[in-house]
Amino acid sequence: MNELEVKEVQEEQPAELAEKDPFEIHLLEPERISFSRSSGGVFQAVIEGKAYDEIVLFRVFPFRYTTQFISVRNPKNEEIGIVRDISLLDRESRTEIEKELQLRYFLPIVTRIESVKQKADLWIWELGTNLGDTRIVMRNLHEFMQFPGNNRVILTDMNGKRCEIRDYEQLDSHSKRQLRDVM
Amino acid sequence: MEFTEKIPITIEAQLKEQPLFYAATDLMNDGQFGKQWLILTRTEVAIWAEDGNLTSSLPLSDITDARVAGGVGGGTLIADTKRGPVIVLRYTAALTSIFGHVAKLIGALAKGEELPTASEKDFPRLCPKCRTPLSHDSLACPVCKNNGKVLLRMLSYAKPYRKQMIAAAIMLILTTLIELIPPYLTKRLVDDVLTPKDMGSALLWIVVGLAATSVVLTGMQIVRGLIGVWIGSKLMGDLRRDVYQSLMRLSLSFFDRRQSSQFIGRVNSDSEAMRQFMTDGVIWVSGEFLRVVAIAIIMFSLDWKLTLLALLPTPLMIIMSSLLWPKMGRLWYQQWRSVFRLNSIVGDSLQGIRVVKAFGQESAETSRYSASNRDLIKSDIRVQGIWQGVFPIFSLIAGAGTLLIWFYGGRNVLNDGMSIGTLIAMITYLGMLLGPLQWVSQMLNWASHAISAADRVFEIMDTPADVPDTVNPANIGRVKGDVEFKQVTYGYEKHHPVLKGISLNVKAGEMIGLVGHSGAGKSTFINMICRFYDSDEGTITIDGNDIRTISQNDLRQQIGVVLQETFLFDGTIAENIAYSKPDATELDVMRAAKIANAHDFIVQLPDGYDTRVGERGHKLSGGERQRVAIARAIIHDPRILILDEATASVDTVTERLIQEAISRLVKGRTTFAIAHRLSTLRNADRLVVLDHGKIVEVGTHEELLQAEGAYFKLVEAQKELSQIKGVESA
Ligand SMILES: Nc1ncnc2c1ncn2[C@@H]1O[C@H](COP(=O)(O)OP(=O)(O)OP(=O)(O)O)[C@@H](O)[C@H]1O
Ligand SMILES: [Mg+2]
């Protein structure tokens, strides 16, 4: 998780930024960027007139803002800039960036909690998510459940797999009942 | 590979070639959950759907290299082809290591290199029965294991005190039986003395009998109590010792991920919960059980019809208990979590109390605490509330039984079908019987409380050390000090290497200066020599022995470290200096301090060497603390000396003094020194420049200056900086 935290401004700036203040966060203007996908499925971009054939995205505040403050980097991990809000991008870019974020931040959204069982020292969650059914196994609740606020819950599997409950108040009553016991 | 899966027959039947390697992923390419198979042959990389349809394939001749792009919670396997990168498949985090290996395999195949062999660690292991992922060193599947085992394991702690336990048990049986006498005597009193108004000697004898039983009972209860306390304290001590021992055994990476203050609670309160269960719980439970059986027998023999009637409500109580107990278990855990959060906050803010005060955040910390405190109050109320709410209901139900006896028993007495004494005895016995039954829930609670505590405790004990000692450590004696790194790669998180393919050969007695940007991996480099972590790839040898074959004790005996974060223990300066050599004489301590240039300032302290430096040595200045730490390394007399920014927080004059000290010290010892102030490394035989986890340059100061490479740039940058500041030149 640490690697997602706001990276300090890199000492070596990409060439095109060299003339700008190297300590300023560079916000990208929505009109001057477009994202697409190569035939091999790799995420690409044209940013401020320059084409990049591979782009890596980072959520700067992965818990608080899922579609805002997206750090756009080249594969060498140099920051090209930050997209403030992806909803301001053109249609195609927005679909692609959303898809890429969803793939990079593999965080299925829980739609239903089938059951939460405690077996010996393990907690086993059977979940329905927007990406299909899955099972999450936790060693304990106190280290593997996080509450970033606003009724959100992040569940982490023993192996690092994560699922998100967007708003537990919105779940159906069966799921809520399952959840109430463990919260 | 018994823990990995076999290729489905539908796919296997269609394969034209023997696969080199195969693995199942748990995601489809669009990111949905689902199963696909990657099958790697000498000619292609193919992806098959679970039902036996070929989804895609890529001829190896097109591929130039392969790599994984780690995301969060999952990752992507990417093949670089002549036409650009292609996404082969996606997977969730559980499969990170295996596809890391696949990437290397494909890369090696594409480039015609020797194929890497998979280590056991690369394979995700699943329980053969229930498909739960297993951790690496444990064979037992945690899902398939049952609570009974935990109980048994917990009880095994009582084994050494078997004799005392048996004594306590015998006492218990006797007290239980004696307790049953008084109601019987009362019955006799009523029936034989009071009802016939027969003033014989019987009255006196019965009262004497009653008195005697209560005296004996009291005496036995005292003895039993004392035995219980004795066993309890011993057990508790054993448990605490074991938990603490396991904590000490665990590798650094375990603590990297956790807050240390949480363990304080674990060591103390969890072992207390276990103790309570084992002494009070087990003894109490067996005692009550015995009592219930005995009373039931007596009651049935007095009047079986009435007894059946009286026991009518008991099934109801048992059902209620068993409905309640899982709920209570969860509530207990919730309460524990609230306590845990509260403890973490206290631990956290007190450890950082200086920062809290420096930023004037006392009130923010207080409100953070209050919020958690409110949580705890809430869950306290809930747990206790259920308790208080349910308990009277139990009494009520139990009371119904008594009412039945009064009514039907009373009628019997009036019809002369039963004596008054029997009725009174029945009522008394029923009261004694219902007591334990009401507490069935409490009993179950205790058990669940203890089991979850035991789980947490055993979790610590069972966590395998990431850096295990070998079974037959090589005896290395006192080493010469040759250190060699062979292609060492390491990442704190597997998919994110911090050191990449480091190779370096250091002769005994050589002094190596490590330089590089912050975060380049310098501290990590020396962590590897100390074997705080084990390399993911490659080996480190000392005098030709792989450090994995040396016992960690032996290894650290040879190594003296002054770490970047100097930590002093709560104790006197002398104790801190003599930490690694408790038998050091006063002279040894002073000599070491003198070499570290600490002697003079220590002597001038009011309490001299006996100054208590308290938690983390906050009473000393940064530079003073560092010099004490250097003295601590010196007294250890190591063959390999490691100095991580040992002189970072001292002024230049002191630094010069320390440097002289160090130059005296490093003679004949292999030394690794890290310093940002490059002038500190003047004496180094060779400088190693690290950049992003790779060695970019090696050579003497002069050689590297001449090469005008990375080191040259660092030196120039520092010169510039000191010119701006107008102080020393680099
Ligand atoms: N315990 C840890 N867990 C996870 N990552 C770590 C840990 N320690 C260090 N790192 C990461 O490893 C990288 C290298 O760290 P390292 O401490 O080796 O740097 P360094 O060269 O000693 O830097 P400095 O000069 O600032 O001390 C950094 O990116 C750091 O974030
Ligand atoms: Mg460091």
Side-chain angles (χ1 to χ4, degrees), chain A residues 4 11 40-42 54 103-104 106 116 119 121-123 129 131-132 134 140-143 159 162 181-183, chain B residues 27 31-33 67 70-72 85-87 90 92-93 133 142-143 258 262 330 333-334 336-337 455 517:
Chain A
L4 297 178
E11 283 165 45
V42 177
E54 193 173 346
L103 294 171
R104 228 192 89 71
F106 184 75
V116 185
K119 262 199 175 172
D121 54 348
L122 288 192
W123 295 80
T129 73
L131 300 178
T134 190
N140 53 52
L141 300 178
H142 56 273
E143 283 176 345
N159 289 304
R162 294 204 265 183
D181 269 353
V182 292
M183 287 204 352
Chain B
L27 286 187
Q32 297 269 336
F33 285 108
R67 63 203 149 96
V72 175
V86 173
I87 288 172
R90 298 179 194 278
T92 68
V143 178
R258 291 170 175 83
Q262 74 177 72
R330 294 197 167 182
Y333 182 43
Q334 257 171 45
W336 182 88
R337 278 192 288 164
D455 273 336
H517 289 294

Side-chain angles (χ1 to χ4, degrees), chain A residues 1 3-4 11-12 37-38 40-42 53-54 100 102-108 116-124 129-135 137 139-143 145 147 157-163 178 180-183, chain B residues 26-27 29-33 67 70-74 76 78 80 83 85-87 90 92-94 130-133 135 142-143 145-147 150 258 262 266 327 330 333-334 336-337 340-341 382 452 455-456 459 493 495-496 517 692:
Chain A
M1 213 176 60
E3 62 194 288
L4 297 178
E11 283 165 45
E12 295 158 65
R37 201 167 286 278
S38 76
V42 177
D53 66 0
E54 193 173 346
E100 182 65 17
Q102 218 185 67
L103 294 171
R104 228 192 89 71
Y105 288 82
F106 184 75
L107 191 64
V116 185
K117 289 205 194 91
Q118 187 185 16
K119 262 199 175 172
D121 54 348
L122 288 192
W123 295 80
I124 300 166
T129 73
N130 61 339
L131 300 178
D133 291 343
T134 190
R135 165 199 271 189
V137 182
R139 259 274 140 69
N140 53 52
L141 300 178
H142 56 273
E143 283 176 345
M145 273 175 92
F147 304 90
D157 186 66
M158 286 200 320
N159 289 304
K161 183 167 79 185
R162 294 204 265 183
C163 290
Q178 303 299 313
R180 198 167 308 133
D181 269 353
V182 292
M183 287 204 352
Chain B
D26 47 4
L27 286 187
N29 280 12
D30 60 0
Q32 297 269 336
F33 285 108
R67 63 203 149 96
V72 175
T76 311
I78 299 176
D80 288 310
R83 286 167 286 111
V86 173
I87 288 172
R90 298 179 194 278
T92 68
C130 63
R131 314 238 50 89
T132 314
S135 67
V143 178
K145 113 184 168 189
N146 55 13
N147 273 342
V150 178
R258 291 170 175 83
Q262 74 177 72
R266 288 211 193 177
K327 183 147 186 71
R330 294 197 167 182
Y333 182 43
Q334 257 171 45
W336 182 88
R337 278 192 288 164
F340 169 83
R341 272 197 291 272
R382 210 161 23 187
S452 58
D455 273 336
R456 290 190 292 266
E459 182 194 337
E493 257 132 297
H495 49 278
H496 185 69
H517 289 294
H692 287 99

Side-chain angles (χ1 to χ4, degrees), chain A residues 2, chain B residues 256 492-493 496 498 516-525 527 533 564 644-645 674 676:
Chain A
N2 284 335
Chain B
D256 283 350
Y492 293 95
E493 257 132 297
H496 185 69
V498 172
H517 289 294
S518 180
K522 304 181 295 293
S523 300
T524 311
F525 182 94
N527 283 345
Y533 306 91
Q564 199 163 12
D644 191 351
E645 294 284 358
I674 299 178
H676 279 135

